[in-house]
Amino acid sequence: LNIFDEHAALNANVPEDYQGLDRFEARKKLIEELDSIGALGEIEDNQHAVPHGDRSGVPVEPWLMDQWYVNAEALAKPAIEAVRDGRTKFVPQRWEKTYFDWMENIQPWCVSRQLWWGHRIPAWYGPDGTPFVEETEAEAKAAAAAHYGHDVDLVQDDDVLDTWFSSALWPFSTLGWPEDTSELNRYYPGDVLVTGFDIIFFWVARMMMMQYAVVGQKPFDTVYVHALVRDEKGKKMSKSLGNVLDPLDLIDEFGADAVRFTLTAMAAMGRDLKLSTQRIQGYRNFTTKLWNACRFAEMNGALAPERHAAPAVPPKATATVNRWIVAETAKIREETDAALSAYRFNDAANGLYAFVWGKVCDWYVEFSKPLLQGDDNAAKAETQAVMAWVLDQCMILLHPIMPFITEELWGNTAQRDTMLVHAEWPEYTAAELADPEAEAEMSLAIAMVEGVRSARAQMNVPAGLQVPVVLVGADDAVRTAWDRNAAMVSRLARIDSLVEAEAAPKGAITVPLPGATLALPLADIIDVGAEKARLEKVMGKLAKEIGGLKGRLNNPKFAQSAPEEVVEETQQNLAAREAEAAQLAAALDRLAEIA
């Protein structure tokens, strides 16, 4: 029984003295009357939850009203079966449980809302209040005339449909339904719906139910459920906490491509994203790296606005470094396709990052310099053609994640027949372009550079100092790799000279390679005693930090009471310190070789 009218004043269902009073006035009057007859014992404060209007801020009172309901249980049955038999799939699959939990325990759906805006309820009332629910007002008038035996005036219900009811119509209503449009025939049903887990029931389930009820088929093949974006400590972003990262501000500061790539690279399936400006800044540097690689190619004649675009198929290559990068490009093309097909977007992004920055910019660009800047015109032309093709493939593969910089580079680096967004996706395979001989040679050359660089860094050898290297026990593959790439390996690793010997000289540290050992005589170059003392001092400090972190994690009280993000941060700190300690231990072992 309602005791309020629509203005929260008391109605005729209360004693006459109270009728028409505002609720707050009525409560005050009631207290006064109880007190006047001695029926009021005492007044106590009692805390309890009282809902308040989000705009007005005043308490909300219960008020019974007639509402329109949908038999959701009947609607849910075909939608449940569609997921059960695999017509529509959830990725990750575990979200199917959330879907079934809601759908199999569904209650009647209240679809009417007392709001100013929305789709009006398709119900009209006759003079005596009889409702007529039809698709159109004309059909409602015809139904009313048949009911009353003559034409009558009808009044449409003032309520509007629930937002989620209207949203449930979206897949087909946006394509011109109920007309048989070309858009509807081409784009319906859809392929993949991307959404958050928090609206699986509110939106995804409602769309599934409504599509089967209205058009009799599924709205999409796959529901990809993405994670939540949290702050760098794992907390949900909140204005009250002041930890909200506004994407528009991030785009203004770092660029849209850097923000997009960051989110994609961190979108591991089933895990929330811990977003920080440092991560975005790092990926902005990646966009700069790609831009600079194209600038290098342009400066060396591989790319230029007036040149014709590289063909879709890779050019024939004879130089080892060119054969190697073509094979590596084919590998990353297949890996990217596989990752995208499996909705492992983070694997696609991270694989492309490692390829473009690591193999193309760090290694291929460096190893190509002698060919581009040498006197062999044929080798120079071949390298220009291969570099143009490789960078084109980088732009194409990166375009879905970084559309703006890749489109800009695409238009400014050659004469193109189409925009990048319309370019054909490559279909070459790793098997077609594999070159085991070139891959093995380049792997050895890169291993030489990385091995010497690592040893120099561990031993704190000055960056500008060139060091001699002794090659011990080398097989033919290592000798070939050195002979063909000696100039570049020496430059990148800052090697003064390389000679062969049967054994490593005294006072040298060793770098193992497949098929050989590199020995660096450092006894006369560095102060072994001072370096050992420095490393041991750092190791002692690290040992204390590791002990403290382990003690905290092994304390049951810490694990039980500390916030989840604090425990996780402590675990990450421990792992980082242990990794650093392992590197220092390896460096001390190498110093022991010299002594």
Side-chain angles (χ1 to χ4, degrees), residues 190-258:
D191 187 6
V192 180
L193 173 75
V194 179
T195 188
F197 68 83
D198 50 339
I199 54 174
I200 287 175
F201 176 67
F202 296 104
W203 191 37
V204 179
R206 309 298 175 94
M207 283 192 286
M208 290 289 289
M209 291 192 291
M210 202 63 72
Q211 310 304 299
Y212 280 103
V214 178
V215 296
Q217 61 176 310
K218 63 183 179 182
F220 25 72
D221 295 326
T222 303
V223 179
Y224 175 75
V225 182
H226 61 71
L228 291 181
V229 180
R230 300 181 180 272
D231 72 7
E232 59 186 313
K233 294 185 177 179
K235 291 183 179 179
K236 189 173 181 179
M237 292 188 189
S238 166
K239 289 182 180 178
S240 61
L241 292 176
N243 63 344
V244 174
L245 295 176
D246 189 323
L248 294 179
D249 293 340
L250 296 175
I251 289 170
D252 287 341
E253 184 174 358
F254 301 108
D257 282 323

Side-chain angles (χ1 to χ4, degrees), residues 309-317 326 329 385-386 388-390 392-393 396 424 426-428 432-433:
V313 295
K316 296 293 183 182
V326 167
T329 304
V386 170
W389 179 81
V390 168
D392 274 7
Q393 302 312 298
I396 293 171
E424 293 291 331
E427 296 182 352
Y428 48 81
E432 293 171 349
L433 302 180

